[in-house]
């Protein structure tokens, strides 16, 4: 994590968060709050001139706060002021393709709501390439009347009736003039990729140089897109992320898609996406977030807040296979995106460890890694290199070689190179090295990539970040999983067309992987539900996606619910969930109270008279469509979860509870039968879990299903041993402090 530092000595860029807007103003409050921000800085810094120089940005369209260059002394003074929720550094967060929708059972000819064109999806990302075929606006009418946004047209950027708005932010000078364009235009490809995955037009006959040939489309191709460029060469600054949320909420978006996130967890009131998504929720907007790419280790999950949808990444039933054919006729299967056709020609196979430049004193351990300049071109010229670690095409070309073969180091992510290249299994790689030692004239060739069926899908990919929730372990995260491996979608012609930064090719569509790719799949599915049910709350849409998710096979995913949450999204089923677990701002305020926040803080955050009871409830009291129980070793298992469901299925319907749990645990649902006379009717129930204490048990999985014979409403149950918090405690000097352990039960982040 980097903290951008201003040029003024000892001054650092900080964000001052002051909760909701005064008097619940929206859209026209910026001037008023900016004067308040100036007054605060004047009081702290001693002069109006100093305040003016310090203030970088004011938030005031959807929530209250500002960005300023501050010393640590000034930070302490502002934090102690009445009306200030938190002050935190402007950290930089990282960014976390069309077979995927068909794999989800969501075909091109799926039913389309007549209101799909009224749905506006806000994309916080690297911008967009508006000229892409995926963003054409033929047949579109004007933007919906609710749209209040704008199109910043700097440097020849234009919007249309598909991409109806675009803004860019660079408060902390995160841009690089050598790579970035000061406009909403995407020079990195990531933002175009995510936007087209969520809501791109239907485009036929698309591929990456013939690989993955087919149709590229978003879930809701008629939906509108609003772009908020917050990411640049040097990352995505917290100040810009919050500015984008501030604008997007006031602009009138219906959903937000955020494929980026912090590496390290922070309390909810000091995390920019947490703050932004809370105010989005308050204004009826669901934020869909990537879970992060720090797997497969536990407790590494990003965007863990309960008011947002957290999305893991899983496979689809398509893999890419690149074959290596040895001179002895043996074929070895590998993985890459190789579009280079070497024909029937075979080339000398050269192990780089035996090709070190002796004149430069290069030894085996340097040469085997194909470090630039370490190889003797006399040996490598015209051959295919075996490198113990994958390198880019520039290194291969500089050595005079034709191509490269390297061993796999993790996931089955397929990468494109600027030369013929393939990644193979380590055992096969060792056999290939042995072949170079025993064959008189070892040769090989690399074939072009083919598509094959993955019969093991879906499985959660290794890189996808796992739970449990590092801040509130009794709230299960991630929520769902969606396709995130080897996804083909729109790209920027100015972005790198392969892993090689010097690759001169330009691409309009590209294949990449990450939870950044799974997130817009969930965003698109949420937009599909929103189009069918425009009045549903963010929590209702989220509940529909979770309770209708396809169950994942735990035998293929050893981390179970910590890897995939409720399961893989099913957009068609999500439109008809039967029952929903709804939640309002009040429910989330009660959750914050249970987390240790006091009445002063929740009142500022919510912008109203919200208070905390003297005896707050449990965090698991939140009306969440899953059940998690974090336990110390040997702790007694005894938890009761209150829940309320709303009937959105049929009138005069009866639902029966079905519990699946290992026999050593007792789960009692009371009542076990729910009868609804009308659509919209609410019924409450409790789930009481008891059982033998756990010792060193990573996860016990179960589920509760409600069924009326037509709908199946499934909620996962997860019990697990965990550690008490040592990092998340708010501390005795914090205004959140209400007792000696305000966040008791939170986990250690590893």
């Amino acid at each position: 994590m980097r903290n951008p530092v201003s040029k003024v000595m000892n001054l650092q860029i900080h964000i001052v968060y002051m909760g909701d807007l005064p008097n619940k103003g929206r859209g026209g409050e910026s001037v008023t709050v900016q004067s308040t921000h100036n007054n605060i800085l004047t009081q702290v810094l001693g002069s109006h001139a100093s305040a003016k120089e310090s203030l970088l940005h004011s938030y005031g369209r959807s929530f209250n706060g500002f960005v300023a260059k501050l010393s640590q002394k000034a930070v302490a003074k502002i934090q102690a002021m009445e009306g200030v929720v938190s002050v935190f550094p402007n950290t930089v967060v990282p960014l976390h393709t069309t077979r995927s929708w068909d794999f989800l059972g969501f075909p091109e000819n799926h039913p389309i709501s007549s209101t799909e064109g009224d749905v506006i999806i806000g994309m916080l990302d690297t911008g967009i390439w508006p000229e892409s075929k995926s963003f054409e606006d033929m047949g579109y009418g004007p933007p919906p009347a609710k749209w209040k946004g704008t199109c910043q047209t700097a440097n020849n950027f234009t919007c249309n009736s598909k991409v109806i708005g675009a803004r860019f932010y660079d408060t902390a000078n995160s841009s690089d003039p050598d790579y970035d364009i000061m406009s909403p235009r995407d020079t990195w490809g990531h933002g175009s990729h995510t936007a087209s995955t969520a809501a791109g037009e239907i485009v036929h006959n698309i591929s990456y140089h013939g690989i993955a040939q087919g149709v590229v489309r978003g879930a809701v191709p008629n939906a509108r897109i609003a772009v908020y460029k917050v990411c640049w060469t040097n990352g995505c600054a917290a100040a810009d992320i919050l500015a984008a949320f501030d604008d997007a909420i006031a602009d009138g978006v219906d959903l937000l898609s955020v494929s980026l996130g912090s590496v390290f967890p922070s309390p909810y009131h000091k995390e920019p996406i947490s703050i932004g998504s809370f105010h989005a929720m308050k204004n009826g907007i669901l934020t869909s977030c990537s879970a992060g790419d720090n797997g497969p280790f536990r407790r590494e999950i990003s965007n863990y807040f309960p008011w947002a949808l957290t999305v893991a990444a899983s496979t689809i039933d398509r893999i890419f296979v690149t074959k290596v054919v040895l001179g002895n006729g043996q074929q070895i299967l590998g993985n890459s995106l190789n579009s280079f056709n070497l024909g029937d020609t075979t080339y000398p196979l050269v192990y780089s460890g035996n090709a070190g430049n002796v004149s430069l004193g290069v030894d085996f351990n340097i040469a085997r890694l194909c470090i630039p300049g370490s190889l003797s071109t006399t040996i490598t010229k015209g051959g295919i290199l075996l490198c113990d670690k994958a390198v880019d095409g520039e290194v291969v070309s500089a050595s005079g070689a034709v191509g490269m073969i390297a061993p796999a180091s993790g996931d089955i992510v397929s990468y494109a190179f600027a030369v013929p290249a393939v990644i193979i299994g380590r055992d096969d790689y060792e056999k290939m090295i042995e072949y170079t030692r025993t064959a008189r004239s070892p040769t090989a060739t690399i074939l072009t990539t083919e598509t094959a069926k993955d019969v093991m899908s879906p499985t959660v990919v290794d890189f996808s970040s796992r739970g449990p929730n590092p801040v509130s372990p009794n709230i299960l995260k991630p929520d769902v999983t969606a396709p995130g491996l080897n996804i083909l979608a729109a790209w920027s012609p100015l972005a790198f067309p392969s892993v090689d930064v010097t690759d001169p090719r330009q691409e309009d569509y590209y294949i990449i992987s990450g939870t950044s790719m799974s997130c817009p799949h969930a965003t698109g599915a949420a937009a599909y539900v929103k189009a069918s049910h425009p009045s549903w709350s963010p929590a209702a849409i989220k509940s529909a996606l979770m309770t209708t998710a396809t169950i994942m096979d735990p035998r293929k995913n050893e981390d179970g619910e910590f890897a995939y949450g409720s399961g893989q999204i099913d957009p068609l089923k999500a439109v008809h969930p039967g029952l929903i677990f709804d939640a309002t701002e009040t429910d989330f305020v009660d959750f914050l109270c249970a987390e240790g926040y006091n009445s002063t803080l929740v009142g500022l955050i919510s912008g109203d008279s919200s208070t905390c009871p003297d005896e707050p409830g449990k965090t698991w009291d939140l009306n969440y469509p899953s059940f998690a129980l974090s336990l110390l070793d040997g702790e007694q298992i005894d938890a009761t979860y209150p829940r309320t469901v709303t009937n959105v299925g049929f009138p005069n319907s009866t639902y029966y509870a079905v519990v699946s749990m290992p026999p050593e645990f007792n789960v009692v649902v009371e009542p076990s039968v729910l009868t609804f006379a009308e659509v919209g009717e609410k019924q409450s129930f409790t789930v009481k879990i008891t059982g033998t204490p756990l010792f060193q048990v990573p996860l016990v999985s179960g589920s509760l299903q409600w069924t009326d014979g037509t709908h199946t409403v499934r909620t996962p149950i997860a019990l697990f041993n965990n550690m008490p918090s040592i990092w998340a405690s708010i501390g005795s000097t914090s205004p959140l402090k209400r007792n000696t352990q305000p966040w008791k039960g939170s986990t250690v982040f590893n």
Side-chain angles (χ1 to χ4, degrees):
M1 304 279 285
R2 295 186 298 276
N3 295 333
V5 179
S6 78
K7 295 180 181 179
V8 182
M9 189 64 68
N10 297 325
L11 297 185
Q12 190 178 43
I13 298 175
H14 278 76
I15 297 164
V16 179
Y17 172 50
M18 303 176 68
D20 203 29
L21 287 171
N23 303 319
K24 290 186 176 291
R26 287 292 179 271
E29 300 289 338
S30 297
V31 175
T32 303
V33 296
Q34 185 172 343
S35 63
T36 302
H37 302 157
N38 272 304
N39 291 338
I40 291 173
L41 289 170
T42 299
Q43 180 181 343
V44 170
L45 302 178
S47 72
H48 180 69
S50 296
K52 185 177 180 180
E53 182 180 355
S54 172
L55 185 62
L56 299 179
H57 184 85
S58 282
Y59 308 119
R61 299 189 70 201
S62 304
F63 51 85
N64 192 6
F66 60 92
V67 185
K69 294 179 289 187
L70 302 169
S71 67
Q72 287 303 312
K73 185 176 180 181
V75 167
K77 288 183 178 180
I78 294 174
Q79 180 66 80
M81 286 183 164
E82 184 178 350
V84 174
V85 175
S86 60
V87 184
F88 52 96
N90 179 41
T91 51
V92 175
V93 305
L95 292 160
H96 284 170
T97 138
T98 300
R99 176 60 195 157
S100 56
W101 289 116
D102 290 321
F103 176 69
L104 292 174
F106 196 57
E108 184 179 335
N109 61 350
H110 66 264
I112 297 176
S113 170
S114 60
T115 60
E116 187 175 293
D118 293 332
V119 176
I120 305 171
I121 302 176
M123 306 295 301
L124 274 66
D125 216 296
T126 65
I128 200 169
W129 191 265
E131 294 84 5
S132 170
K133 291 180 180 180
S134 290
F135 309 124
E136 292 180 347
D137 66 347
M138 185 176 298
Y140 283 75
K146 63 187 175 185
W147 175 244
K148 302 295 189 297
T150 189
C151 183
Q152 296 179 340
T153 58
N155 288 307
N156 297 316
F157 184 91
T158 58
C159 294
N160 58 23
S161 294
K162 175 68 174 179
V163 181
I164 60 174
R167 300 175 185 266
F168 64 101
Y169 310 84
D170 192 20
T171 306
N173 295 320
S174 298
S175 60
D176 185 329
D178 291 334
Y179 295 100
D180 296 313
I181 297 176
M182 295 304 293
S183 83
R185 185 171 296 281
D186 182 14
T187 60
W188 289 94
H190 192 276
S192 301
H193 200 283
T194 56
S196 65
T197 300
E201 272 291 312
I202 300 171
V203 188
H204 294 265
N205 198 32
I206 296 299
S207 69
Y208 176 74
H209 295 281
I211 301 170
Q213 185 88 25
V215 177
V216 170
R217 60 186 173 93
V220 280
N222 296 323
R224 316 301 179 108
I225 297 171
V227 176
Y228 301 87
K229 182 177 177 178
V230 298
C231 300
W232 307 83
T233 296
N234 295 316
C236 320
D240 297 336
I241 293 169
L242 276 169
F245 271 107
D246 189 32
D247 282 334
I249 294 167
D251 286 347
V253 303
D254 295 295
L255 299 116
L256 284 163
S257 190
V258 183
S259 286
L260 48 102
S262 301
V263 175
F264 302 107
S266 299
Y268 295 118
H269 66 299
K270 292 186 175 183
E271 211 291 338
I273 301 174
S274 169
I275 294 170
S277 59
F278 181 90
H279 290 280
M281 172 277 298
K282 180 179 170 70
N283 286 274
I285 302 164
L286 175 63
T287 303
S288 174
C289 300
S290 50
D293 297 344
N294 293 315
F297 308 107
R298 289 163 66 100
R299 301 182 187 89
E300 298 281 348
I301 195 164
S302 300
N303 301 320
Y304 37 79
F305 0 102
W307 42 82
L309 178 68
T310 310
V311 190
S314 45
T315 61
I316 62 174
D317 61 347
R318 180 189 65 195
I319 56 176
F320 299 120
V321 177
T322 304
K323 296 178 182 178
V324 178
V325 182
L326 303 181
N328 61 10
Q330 182 181 0
Q331 292 190 4
I332 295 174
L333 303 184
N335 177 34
S336 67
L337 299 171
N338 179 45
S339 60
F340 299 99
N341 189 347
L342 296 179
D344 297 327
T345 306
T346 59
Y347 300 84
L349 190 59
V350 181
Y351 178 47
S352 60
N354 300 328
N357 191 322
V358 177
S359 299
L360 295 178
V362 175
D363 66 12
F364 169 82
N365 288 318
I366 299 295
R368 69 182 184 84
L369 299 175
C370 291
I371 292 174
S374 66
L375 302 181
S376 169
T377 57
T378 303
I379 301 173
T380 59
K381 186 175 182 180
I384 293 178
L385 284 175
L386 287 169
C387 298
D388 284 4
K389 184 178 180 180
V391 294
D392 62 31
E394 185 177 12
V395 175
V396 177
S397 297
S399 72
V402 173
M404 177 199 67
I405 302 170
S409 58
D411 266 316
I412 53 173
V413 177
S414 298
Y415 294 106
F417 296 82
V419 297
V422 60
I423 308 299
I424 64 175
R426 188 162 293 276
D427 288 344
D428 286 331
Y429 182 76
E430 295 296 335
K431 293 176 183 177
M432 203 173 291
I433 293 176
E434 185 62 23
Y435 168 68
T436 66
R437 293 169 177 161
T438 58
R440 178 175 297 178
S441 299
T443 60
T445 190
I446 302 172
L447 305 185
T448 54
T449 298
E450 302 172 354
T451 300
K453 187 175 182 65
D454 182 2
V455 297
M456 293 293 287
S457 61
T459 60
V460 176
V461 288
D462 278 356
F463 63 70
S464 185
S465 294
R466 268 66 168 171
N469 190 322
V471 172
S472 304
N474 291 318
I475 300 296
L476 182 63
K477 288 288 178 173
D479 295 308
V480 291
T481 188
L485 182 71
N486 299 333
I487 306 298
L488 175 66
W491 200 243
S492 166
L494 299 181
F496 301 135
S498 67
V499 300
D500 304 326
V501 297
T502 59
D503 191 334
R505 296 176 295 174
Q506 291 186 325
E507 305 299 335
D508 295 322
Y509 292 85
Y510 190 42
I511 297 170
I512 54 176
S513 302
T515 55
S516 282
M517 285 61 257
S518 60
C519 170
H521 279 90
T523 306
Y528 186 66
V529 176
K530 179 72 174 179
S532 299
H533 304 285
S535 65
W536 280 13
S537 69
I541 296 171
K542 177 177 173 179
S543 172
L545 291 170
M546 292 174 66
T547 61
T548 61
T550 301
I551 303 171
M552 300 282 281
D553 188 344
R555 296 169 299 179
K556 303 176 186 176
N557 302 271
E558 64 179 14
D559 295 311
E561 285 76 12
F562 293 148
Y564 49 68
S566 296
Q568 178 184 263
I569 59 170
D570 187 330
L572 289 179
K573 285 187 178 180
V575 173
H576 306 288
L579 304 175
I580 56 172
F581 294 75
D582 209 352
T584 65
E585 179 195 358
T586 299
D587 297 306
F588 291 113
V589 167
D590 290 343
F591 165 82
L592 289 174
C593 293
E595 282 288 285
Y597 288 73
N598 62 28
S599 294
T600 301
L601 266 295
V602 298
L604 287 171
I605 292 169
S606 61
D608 54 28
S609 58
S610 296
T611 60
C612 292
D614 292 335
E615 294 294 332
K618 303 287 189 180
T619 56
W620 65 59
D621 290 347
L622 180 64
N623 199 38
Y624 212 73
S626 62
F627 305 90
L629 184 59
S630 173
L631 298 156
L632 299 176
D633 281 341
E635 185 176 353
Q636 184 65 40
I637 300 176
D638 189 355
T640 301
Y641 302 77
R643 293 293 187 267
T644 298
V645 288
T646 305
N647 180 27
V648 294
F650 306 131
N652 301 313
S653 57
T654 300
Y655 285 80
Y656 299 89
V658 179
V659 174
S660 175
M661 202 69 184
E664 58 267 35
F665 303 95
N666 188 32
V667 179
V668 177
V669 182
E670 183 63 37
S672 60
V673 179
L674 299 177
T675 300
F676 300 88
E678 299 176 347
V679 174
E681 183 180 347
K682 297 178 183 293
Q683 294 282 358
S684 296
F685 63 95
T686 60
V687 177
K688 183 176 178 62
I689 304 175
T690 57
T692 305
L694 302 178
F695 292 87
Q696 296 292 300
V697 176
L699 179 64
V700 176
S701 298
S703 68
L704 166 62
Q705 293 186 161
W706 291 99
T707 180
D708 65 348
T710 300
H711 305 95
T712 299
V713 186
R714 182 182 181 273
T715 48
I717 300 173
L719 314 181
F720 53 99
N721 284 132
N722 212 352
M723 296 173 65
S725 172
I726 59 172
W727 68 268
S729 179
I730 294 171
S732 59
T733 60
S734 168
L736 278 74
K737 188 76 172 179
R738 185 175 54 230
N739 52 49
T740 57
Q741 291 179 293
W743 283 21
K744 184 178 180 182
S746 296
T747 63
V748 175
F749 183 81
N750 296 322

